[in-house]
Amino acid sequence: MRYWLLKSEPEEFSIADLERVGVEPWTGVRNYQARNYLRDAMHDGDGVLFYHSNARPPGIVGLARVRGEAYPDPTQFDPASPYHDPGSRPEAPRWMLRDIAFERRLRRCITLDELRAAADRLGDFPLLRRGNRLSVLPVTAAQWQTILDLENR
DNA sequence: GCCAACGTTGGC
DNA sequence: GCCAACGTTGGC
């Protein structure tokens, strides 16, 4: 079992949206490193920290779970989609996704400021690295536990 | 709205 | 393969 952090802009898709739909195909990732995490490194049942980016304040707002296996992101073949990729062929899909299942909201938002303040306990946390823009990030078991502990402080 | 960081594109 | 131009991310 591994752990991940997924970023989402709440104006695009928030934790409330995930709670409402229950399970969401994580479409639109168009970065190769993030794609590799989704396609190769994730496993059914992995834990997910749900992070609101471009939010005020930015922070972790909920928990979710990876559901099932990787499969082609259908939006890459949809000319009407903003995620359309005319260079991707159905017989060799470039972009893969996973379904993400709602688990629960956190009792409160654990803000980016708070995560920075806990940097000594978190160690090398990819979200806190300068200039990081990846929307899918690996989280260690120790970091996962540290963040859950923060929730109850 | 600004801008730093950084991935991608494309000319050469 | 280099690298300048460009586009995007995302905090502020």
Side-chain angles (χ1 to χ4, degrees), chain A residues 28-36 95 133-135:
Chain A
V29 172
R30 295 293 181 269
N31 170 284
Y32 284 101
Q33 192 177 348
R35 187 279 310 270
N36 293 346
W95 307 109
R133 298 185 306 162
L134 267 191
S135 62

Side-chain angles (χ1 to χ4, degrees), chain A residues 38-100:
Chain A
L38 284 170
R39 185 187 63 184
D40 307 327
M42 277 186 182
H43 293 95
D44 182 34
D46 282 357
V48 171
L49 300 170
F50 197 97
Y51 178 87
H52 278 172
S53 61
N54 265 323
R56 286 200 295 215
I60 297 166
V61 292
L63 302 182
R65 202 168 281 284
V66 175
R67 166 80 57 88
E69 303 307 312
Y71 62 97
D73 180 342
T75 64
Q76 70 196 304
F77 306 122
D78 177 2
S81 168
Y83 304 124
H84 181 230
D85 180 355
S88 182
R89 315 294 306 273
E91 60 272 24
R94 189 176 285 170
W95 307 109
M96 305 290 279
L97 55 65
R98 300 266 176 170
D99 287 345
I100 301 300

Side-chain angles (χ1 to χ4, degrees), chain A residues 100-141:
Chain A
I100 301 300
F102 178 81
E103 192 91 355
R104 68 175 176 87
R105 294 200 197 210
L106 296 191
R107 287 179 35 243
R108 59 192 189 80
C109 176
I110 300 174
T111 65
L112 182 57
D113 280 347
E114 210 175 336
L115 293 168
R116 289 203 183 104
D120 56 333
R121 267 165 294 155
L122 287 168
D124 184 22
F125 195 55
L127 185 74
L128 301 180
R129 282 187 210 145
R130 227 167 101 82
N132 155 67
R133 298 185 306 162
L134 267 191
S135 62
V136 181
L137 296 170
V139 174
T140 68

